[in-house]
Amino acid sequence: MNSASRRLWRTSPLTYVALVLATLLSIYPFYYMVVIATRSLDSINDVPPPFTPGGAFGDNFGRVLDNDAANFLTGLLNSVIVSSVVTLSVVITGSLAGFAFAKLRFRGRNALLLAIIVTMMIPTQLGLIPLWGMIQDLNWYGTLYAVTVPFLVSAFGVFMMRQYATQAVSDELIEAGRVDGASTFRIYWNIVLPALRPAAAVLGLLTFMETWNSFLWPYAVLPPENPTLQVSLAFLSYAYYTDYSQVFAATAVGTIPLVVVFVLFGRQIIGGIMEGAVKS
Amino acid sequence: MSLSATTAPPSPAAPTPPPSRRHRSRSSSLTRLDLRFSPYLYIAPFFVIFGIFGLYPMLRTAWMSLHDWNLIGDHTFIGFDNYTKLVTDEYFWNATFNTFGIFLLSTVPQLLLALFLANLLNRTFLRARTLFRMAIFMPNVVSVAAVAIVFGMLFQRDFGVFNWLLGFVGVDPVDWDAERWSSWSAIASMVNWRWTGYNTLILLAGMQAIPRELYEAAALDGASQWRQFWRITLPMLTPTFVFVVILSTIGGLQLFTEPLVFANGNIIGGDQREFQTLAMYMYELGIENLNTAGYGAAVAWAMFLMIALMSLVNFLLVRRTVK
């Protein structure tokens, strides 16, 4: 690299100052959440506000568990169930359909793929009111079916898997499978799925996070007695808004698992998001 | 040694020996069925579930909006009455005004900041690159409900951190959820915090696709970094930027959870509807109040039309200015 381009791509100290500042702003609310969650109730109203963690987390979280109106543990368990089922289903149906669109020939393929891309643009809130009515008609109100079944498939999932399968699965390998007499499903299972694993992992992580974090729909169809975690948090904060330590202890417990997952797999998640951005 | 040698298809010179005749005819009809129908089988789950729970409700929204409909199921056809009612509905315009206000307060600073950060992260000799990327993206991992709860407390009037900081510059404590401008700012700050990092990454991905040689040539010609940013980065980034703007528009006009939790679950958004958004108004009409589902459906379609229109305007506008 010549000296002109070296000068061009150098990194000045100001760059680091700006990035460290952005990092602190990004991290601070997490830190603040931990501070309040570990503080005793009466120290929260201090002026200046507390800036260091305390030792009252056990006590605060104990109040969450004792709080019969919050149904926090039910919410936690429900969120684990719903997020796992949805994630598994989105990855399987997405990879099956993605494989078909990328590697199989059939009539109407392009039109159907276009239909999927178009549906990605339509905001889901458009169907919210009739969907709410349908859930009533199905007698699913208040059950986990209501928050699981409509999300078992994802247009984004199909599209992402199709993009990945197009380049990651070689036609030769599929042909070789055919010559050996393997059925299409066997080819999917033994050749395609292993090749799709990196993309499937990212899709799974994104789907899990999105489902874990979703609020509007669970809020609309689940009562406070059988909530998901986010619904439980919301009701906790509405009803017990003076007991911030309790609310923050619950919020921290609901948030930290995802933060841990992100710290472990952040590189892949970010890679997946950036790759998706360039292709679309 | 190249790996492709082992995975190349068998050459026509060495065909595989044909299987016995009987075996072939039975298995080949099965194979034909398999080849013909399995693609449809594999895409069916998506289309069936999406058809029932995605497409059908969307179309039904249009049908409902032409009726005086309650969610118990009673309905009478009234044509476009719901839409004409919308035109003179004070609350509808209030919600539209709030939605666009919060949308501007969140989208504009967010995208400018994302552009700035992406440009910083795009430096070749940057250390701890992955660390910065992860830190900036981290807010996106938290649920909106949790963000609203944490920011709700930061914006608390009596002992919140923001009012405490404002005290240093001699500003009296602000009652954040009592006024339009202050509640809008508080809600916009939640959106900005959660989405700036995400947009930064998307823009960064776009920047990295720009050929390095362009910059090197410009540097040899003596163009400053600032000039290169305007003349090379921005124009080359246009498609990504349009994508990001449209994504923000779709999200921004559907804003629901932040204002709802900020209002402690009050669907009208503040005592005077200071920060009720369109999505909240739709929810109020269609789900909280069972008797006005048809009218709520009309609001849903109005929202959709606004999103479509805004996306189109953004598309044209960004195209023109960045060129």
Side-chain angles (χ1 to χ4, degrees), chain A residues 266-267 270, chain B residues 121 126-136:
Chain A
R267 211 181 273 264
I270 284 174
Chain B
L121 285 171
L126 185 70
R127 282 170 197 284
R129 186 176 314 173
T130 311
L131 197 72
F132 284 129
R133 284 183 193 176
M134 281 179 62
I136 287 171

Side-chain angles (χ1 to χ4, degrees), chain A residues 62-77:
Chain A
R63 282 207 305 291
V64 176
L65 297 181
D66 289 342
N67 184 343
D68 292 332
N71 294 303
F72 184 79
L73 285 184
T74 311
L76 193 63
L77 183 67

Side-chain angles (χ1 to χ4, degrees), chain A residues 1-2 4-12 15-16 18-20 22-23 25-30 32-33 36 44-49 51 93 96-97 99-101 104-108 112 115-116 119 121-135 138 140 149-155 158 172-173 178-179 182-185 188 209 213 215-216 219-220 230 233-234 237-238 241 244 247-248 251 255 258-259 262-263 266-267 269-270 273-274 277-278 280, chain B residues 7-10 16 34-36 38-40 42-43 45-47 49-50 52-54 56-58 60-61 64 71 116-117 120-127 130 132-146 149-154 156 158-161 164 193-194 198 201-202 204-206 208-209 212 215-216 219-220 225 228 240 243 250 253-257 260-261 263-266 279 282-283 285-288 290 293 296-297 300-301 303-304 307:
Chain A
M1 213 173 251
N2 60 37
S5 60
R6 192 174 292 278
R7 203 164 56 241
L8 163 63
W9 295 107
R10 78 175 169 211
T11 313
S12 78
T15 301
Y16 288 107
L19 285 175
V20 167
T23 300
L25 282 174
S26 300
I27 303 291
Y28 176 69
F30 290 97
Y32 179 70
M33 187 167 71
I36 303 295
I44 289 173
N45 299 4
D46 288 352
V47 176
F51 282 101
T93 58
L96 270 174
F99 161 52
F101 279 120
L104 302 179
R105 309 262 162 275
F106 55 97
R107 258 167 169 302
L112 289 170
I116 289 184
T119 62
M121 310 267 174
I122 303 177
T124 47
Q125 286 190 7
L126 186 59
L128 191 75
I129 295 170
L131 191 58
W132 196 87
M134 282 168 69
I135 294 300
L138 288 165
W140 282 359
V149 178
F151 305 97
L152 289 177
V153 299
S154 131
V158 174
E172 286 82 14
L173 221 53
R178 293 253 188 248
V179 170
S183 66
T184 311
F185 185 76
Y188 163 75
M209 283 188 191
N213 286 338
F215 179 77
L216 169 54
Y219 183 75
Q230 310 303 333
L233 286 183
S237 88
Y238 299 165
Y241 59 95
Y244 278 110
V247 175
F248 271 58
T251 307
T255 305
L258 284 198
V259 173
F262 181 69
V263 168
R267 211 181 273 264
I269 295 173
I270 284 174
I273 287 171
M274 290 181 62
V278 177
S280 56
Chain B
T7 53
T16 44
D34 178 31
L35 278 177
R36 184 133 180 227
S38 39
Y40 296 107
Y42 296 173
I43 63 171
F46 173 81
F47 284 97
I49 303 232
F50 178 77
I52 298 173
F53 295 104
Y56 172 69
M58 284 175 199
R60 197 175 161 90
T61 304
M64 279 177 86
L71 271 175
F116 174 68
L117 289 174
L120 293 186
L121 285 171
N122 197 27
R123 304 285 156 94
T124 313
F125 299 113
L126 185 70
R127 282 170 197 284
T130 311
F132 284 129
R133 284 183 193 176
M134 281 179 62
I136 287 171
F137 183 76
M138 189 110 122
N140 205 252
V141 171
V142 199
S143 78
V144 186
I149 288 170
V150 172
F151 274 70
M153 176 137 178
L154 288 169
Q156 239 279 337
D158 298 320
F159 47 85
V161 171
W164 178 72
W193 183 70
R194 192 158 186 266
Y198 177 86
L201 288 185
I202 306 281
L204 176 62
Q208 293 191 338
R212 286 267 128 119
Y215 293 102
E216 288 175 11
L220 284 178
Q225 290 214 357
Q228 290 171 23
T240 317
F243 174 72
I250 294 174
L253 296 195
Q254 296 189 81
L255 201 66
F256 177 85
T257 309
L260 182 78
V261 178
N264 277 315
N266 182 358
M282 177 190 84
Y283 193 98
L285 291 169
I287 291 173
E288 290 243 318
L290 291 179
W301 266 95
M303 251 175 87
F304 172 66
I307 291 174

Side-chain angles (χ1 to χ4, degrees), chain B residues 217-230:
Chain B
L220 284 178
D221 289 347
S224 68
Q225 290 214 357
W226 184 241
R227 206 177 158 78
Q228 290 171 23
F229 177 75
W230 277 102

